[in-house]
């Protein structure tokens, strides 16, 4: 059934609870279609599947050992859930029949409702009791995972069921009759209502959020914006959705809007939200506690995944027109239906900014941009300190967004998964991540080297969980206490960690630590050459702590 469903890979960390499945994959299917990908941690296994789905649009599989493996992988599952990516997760338990359990170990690795561990952040889960039931469970799990809004599903296999003699193989269903449905089309009446609002708008704004990776969808969004002469906002939390150097792109993509963006949004008379992650929060940033004065057109199927446990659904936004469908379906229809508005936006002048004097994230970005000019690059991850003005995105595969749920440690796995999906293309995959993110997911490097999946991991290493230093500084100021102590319990120092050596220990090329600005470009140039030659590369760049909140200002070094 896994082969019939065209699951290309199963990322896993070994476990006795699925030894029957493991033997079947290896000795019955010959470890092809699907091929197992050995991972050193369950979080990495899920993160790799997450990155693969983001880059390819296709789901792959994950296998997690009993309850303990599921608990290890649960944070990464939450990331995938919040990021709305499809994923088929296979679990194992038991034997469910207590009479068949081995003493001790089978008992502690059996749970009465194992799916409950992840039920609040998976789309569906099941524990089939027979092979025909397992057929149907896998068909349903794949269908649901790949239906918008997409997400992970979980099928738990009884260890005894995996190893039971079944006689002749039950007839395999025709999987083509159980595919996910085609995208839902919006009602023409809603398209007409939205078109009238947009055509009559004096100052329309488009919030381009969770959209597809197709070039056709990209071009349709550009065509709609140009026809309306609408200003477009994008979000650093989501993949590239609109060319950031286009004259209509209003501001560098950011996690939160700056004051100029808030002002521009408040001036809009019509806002078209294309599955923006937090439409209500964005509008609140502009309007505060006052009623939203803009007309709001909302295009999103996301409410189908909203539950009571997780608040990833964000605030409830007002909607004057609400199309419960995917943006890539609605945008071409809107582009045909709206009236063209005269050009009103002038080309933007890029500010080159001041020269770099230290190894900062901005300096890293400038060197990386110069060295990759003219190359097809896919950025799989960016650190918190990244300013959206550092690099332009001109193609839907230029940037794959953040980790979805804010779970630290996803960066390496996302990078490996994206590189696996793009392995046979000319596009180089590079993940730029913080040291905390890298350290928590570092074992994904071994999977990349073992399966010869070329990729580049650049660690913007400020030797600290720096975001929390800022939180501690804020609390200290509010309470009138010394801010000088904000580093305690946050700094990753004494002893220093050689991140490049951690890469080399797993078979990757390790470069660094890069501590001098004069060495930065040469180090990155060497790294890119190794990736082009088919290597996995880790570069440890020792950046000064600080967040660059201006478009061209230098990162502020705050650590003494």
């Amino acid at each position: 059934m896994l082969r019939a469903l065209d699951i290309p890979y199963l990322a896993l960390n070994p476990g006795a609870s699925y030894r029957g499945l493991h033997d079947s994959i290896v000795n019955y299917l010959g470890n092809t279609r699907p091929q197992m990908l050995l991972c050193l941690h369950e979080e990495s296994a899920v993160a790799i599947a997450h990155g693969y789905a983001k880059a390819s649009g296709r789901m792959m599989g994950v296998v997690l050992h009993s309850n303990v493996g599921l608990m290890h992988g649960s944070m990464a599952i939450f990331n995938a859930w919040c990021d709305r990516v499809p994923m088929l997760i296979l679990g194992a338990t038991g034997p469910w029949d207590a009479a068949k359990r081995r003493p001790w170990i089978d008992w502690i690795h059996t749970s009465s409702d194992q799916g409950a561990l992840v039920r609040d952040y998976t789309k569906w889960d099941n524990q089939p009791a027979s092979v025909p039931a397992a057929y149907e469970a896998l068909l349903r799990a794949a269908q649901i995972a790949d239906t918008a809004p997409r997400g992970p599903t979980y099928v738990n296999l009884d260890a005894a069921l995996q190893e039971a003699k079944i006689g002749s193989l039950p007839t395999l269903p025709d999987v083509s009759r159980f595919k996910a449905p085609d995208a839902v089309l919006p009602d023409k009446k809603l398209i007409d209502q939205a078109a009238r609002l947009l055509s009559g708008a004096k100052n329309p704004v488009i919030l381009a959020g969770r959209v597809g990776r197709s070039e056709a969808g990209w071009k349709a969004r550009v065509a709609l914006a140009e026809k309306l002469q609408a200003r477009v906002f994008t979000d650093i939390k989501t993949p590239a959705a609109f060319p950031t150097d286009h004259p209509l792109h209003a501001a560098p993509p950011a996690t939160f809007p700056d004051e100029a963006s808030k002002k521009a949004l408040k001036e809009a008379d019509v806002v078209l939200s294309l599955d923006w992650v937090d439409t209500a929060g964005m509008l609140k940033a502009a309007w505060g506690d006052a009623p939203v004065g803009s007309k709001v057109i909302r295009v999103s199927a996301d409410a189908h995944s909203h539950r009571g446990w997780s608040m990833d659904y964000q605030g409830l936004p007002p909607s004057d027109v609400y199309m419960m469908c995917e943006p890539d379906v609605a945008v071409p229809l809107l582009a045909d239906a709206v009236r063209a508005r005269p050009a009103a936006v002038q080309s933007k002048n890029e500010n080159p900014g001041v020269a770099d004097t230290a190894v900062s994230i901005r300096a890293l970005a400038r060197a990386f941009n110069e060295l990759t000019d003219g190359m097809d690059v896919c950025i799989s991850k960016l650190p918190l300190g990244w300013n959206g003005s550092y690099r332009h995105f001109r193609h839907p595969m230029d940037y794959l967004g953040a980790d979805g749920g804010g779970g630290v440690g996803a960066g390496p796995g996302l990078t490996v998964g994206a590189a696996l999906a793009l392995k046979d293309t000319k596009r180089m995959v590079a993940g730029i991540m913080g040291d905390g993110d890298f350290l928590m997911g570092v074992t994904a490097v071994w999977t990349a080297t073992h399966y010869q999946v070329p990729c580049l991991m650049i660690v913007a290493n400020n030797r600290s969980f720096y975001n929390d230093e800022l939180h501690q500084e804020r609390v200290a100021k509010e309470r009138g206490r010394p801010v000088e102590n904000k580093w305690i319990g946050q700094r990753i120092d004494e002893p220093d960690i050689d991140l490049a050596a951690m890469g080399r220990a797993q078979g990757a090329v390790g470069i660094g630590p890069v501590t001098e600005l004069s060495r930065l470009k040469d180090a990155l140039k060497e790294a890119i050459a190794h990736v082009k030659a088919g290597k996995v590369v880790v570069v440890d760049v020792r950046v000064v702590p600080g967040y660059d909140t201006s478009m061209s200002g230098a990162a502020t070094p705050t650590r003494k």
Side-chain angles (χ1 to χ4, degrees):
M1 179 56 73
L2 290 170
R3 176 171 284 176
L5 288 169
D6 197 25
I7 301 298
Y9 301 102
L10 292 173
L12 55 85
N13 183 262
S17 64
Y18 65 83
R19 65 188 187 185
L21 174 65
H22 188 282
D23 174 74
S24 296
I25 296 296
V26 174
N27 293 318
Y28 187 72
L29 294 183
N31 196 27
T32 60
R33 300 177 40 239
Q35 176 190 352
M36 293 192 306
L37 297 178
L38 177 59
C39 302
L40 305 185
H41 196 286
E42 286 88 351
E43 270 189 29
S44 292
V46 179
I48 287 170
H50 183 175
Y52 182 90
K54 284 163 77 80
S56 70
R58 295 180 56 203
M59 83 177 90
M60 60 173 272
V62 178
V63 190
L64 300 177
H65 167 50
S66 71
N67 48 10
V68 289
L70 183 61
M71 287 186 273
H72 260 313
S74 60
M75 189 207 71
I77 295 171
F78 180 69
N79 276 342
W81 162 263
C82 291
D83 219 15
R84 306 298 189 247
V85 300
M87 186 184 298
L88 177 62
I89 305 170
L90 300 180
T93 190
W96 185 245
D97 183 351
K100 296 180 180 179
R101 291 179 198 152
R102 294 173 295 165
W104 181 64
I105 190 66
D106 279 349
W107 288 82
I108 62 173
H109 284 178
T110 300
S111 303
S112 62
D113 186 7
Q114 193 162 290
L117 286 168
V118 293
R119 187 165 296 141
D120 287 307
Y121 41 98
T122 52
K123 290 190 70 179
W124 183 75
D125 70 272
N126 189 248
Q127 185 172 318
S130 67
V131 171
Y135 280 174
E136 179 167 320
L138 291 174
L139 284 169
R140 191 187 300 270
Q143 184 185 81
I144 291 174
D146 213 23
T147 300
R150 293 163 183 81
T153 52
Y154 177 70
V155 177
N156 192 30
L157 302 173
D158 180 3
L161 170 64
Q162 295 174 52
E163 300 179 29
K165 294 181 179 181
I166 60 169
S168 59
L169 190 69
T171 303
L172 195 69
D174 179 0
V175 298
S176 67
R177 304 183 70 186
F178 300 91
K179 295 186 299 184
D182 291 335
V184 175
L185 294 172
D187 192 309
K188 186 179 183 302
K189 178 181 68 176
L190 297 177
I191 290 289
D192 290 342
Q193 290 175 2
R196 281 195 296 272
L197 286 174
L198 290 167
S199 298
K202 294 181 180 179
N203 193 15
V205 161
I206 298 174
L207 303 179
R210 287 182 290 225
V211 294
R213 298 299 88 221
S214 74
E215 291 190 47
W218 179 274
K219 291 175 181 177
R221 289 187 292 277
V222 173
L224 176 61
E226 290 179 345
K227 193 171 183 180
L228 290 171
Q229 287 297 297
R231 286 179 290 181
V232 180
F233 289 90
T234 57
D235 188 342
I236 204 74
K237 298 188 293 295
T238 53
F242 193 84
T244 55
D245 57 350
H246 194 287
L248 289 169
H249 193 261
T255 303
F256 302 106
D258 60 15
E259 292 305 315
S261 298
K262 294 176 188 177
K263 183 176 183 295
L265 188 60
K266 191 171 183 179
E267 291 171 352
D269 50 354
V270 178
V271 175
L272 172 62
S273 174
L274 300 177
D275 202 15
W276 189 263
V277 169
D278 185 10
T279 303
M282 189 72 168
L283 295 172
K284 185 178 179 62
W287 290 89
D289 294 329
V292 175
S294 311
K295 294 291 185 182
V296 179
I297 302 165
R298 189 174 168 209
V299 184
S300 173
D302 199 58
H304 286 304
S305 286
H306 294 174
R307 309 280 187 83
W309 180 82
S310 171
M311 305 300 160
D312 66 279
Y313 49 73
Q314 311 293 325
L316 183 64
S319 304
D320 298 284
V321 180
Y322 186 2
M323 300 180 215
M324 206 164 186
C325 65
E326 296 173 86
D328 284 13
V329 174
V331 167
L333 299 175
L334 287 171
D336 288 340
V338 298
R339 293 195 310 271
R341 297 176 68 246
V345 179
Q346 297 180 350
S347 298
K348 295 185 287 188
N349 294 319
E350 295 290 337
N351 185 345
V354 297
D356 294 301
T357 58
V359 180
S360 63
I361 295 179
R362 188 192 65 191
L364 188 163
R366 283 178 170 171
F368 183 76
N369 292 345
E370 184 177 336
L371 292 167
T372 57
D373 187 35
M375 287 178 58
D376 288 334
V377 177
C378 175
I379 303 291
S380 58
K381 189 69 167 61
L382 288 172
L384 279 176
W386 187 274
N387 186 297
S389 66
Y390 288 165
R391 184 178 178 90
H392 283 303
F393 306 134
R394 302 182 176 97
H395 186 276
M397 292 302 297
D398 281 357
Y399 174 57
L400 296 181
D403 45 40
V408 180
L414 291 175
T415 301
V416 176
L420 181 66
L422 300 176
K423 185 176 180 181
D424 296 325
T425 71
K426 295 181 180 179
R427 191 172 284 270
M428 182 183 75
V429 174
I432 306 174
M433 62 199 76
D435 46 323
D437 193 23
F438 178 77
L439 285 165
M440 288 192 193
V442 67
T443 58
V445 173
W446 182 89
T447 301
T449 59
H450 181 70
Y451 294 101
Q452 299 178 18
V453 181
C455 56
L456 174 58
M457 299 184 196
I458 303 173
V459 186
N461 182 2
N462 60 20
R463 288 83 68 208
S464 174
F465 291 102
Y466 181 72
N467 188 59
D468 286 277
E469 285 198 41
L470 296 183
H471 283 290
Q472 296 309 125
E473 180 178 341
R474 180 178 302 169
V475 172
K477 287 179 177 178
E478 288 177 353
R479 295 180 174 180
R481 292 172 179 169
V483 297
E484 292 79 12
N485 293 330
K486 66 180 182 179
W487 64 272
I488 297 174
Q490 318 292 349
R491 298 281 171 87
I492 307 172
D493 210 347
E494 295 180 358
D496 183 42
I497 302 176
D498 191 337
L499 303 186
M502 295 181 79
R504 288 192 294 271
Q506 298 177 79
V509 176
I511 299 174
V514 181
T515 59
E516 298 174 3
L517 190 59
S518 59
R519 280 200 59 220
L520 179 58
K521 188 182 291 185
D522 286 342
L524 295 180
K525 185 177 181 180
E526 179 188 352
I528 291 168
H530 280 300
V531 176
K532 286 183 175 181
K535 301 294 186 180
V536 179
V537 184
V538 174
V539 187
D540 180 2
V541 181
R542 301 296 178 92
V543 298
V544 292
Y547 292 162
D548 184 355
T549 57
S550 67
M551 288 191 60
S552 59
T556 305
T558 57
R559 182 185 181 206
K560 295 181 180 179

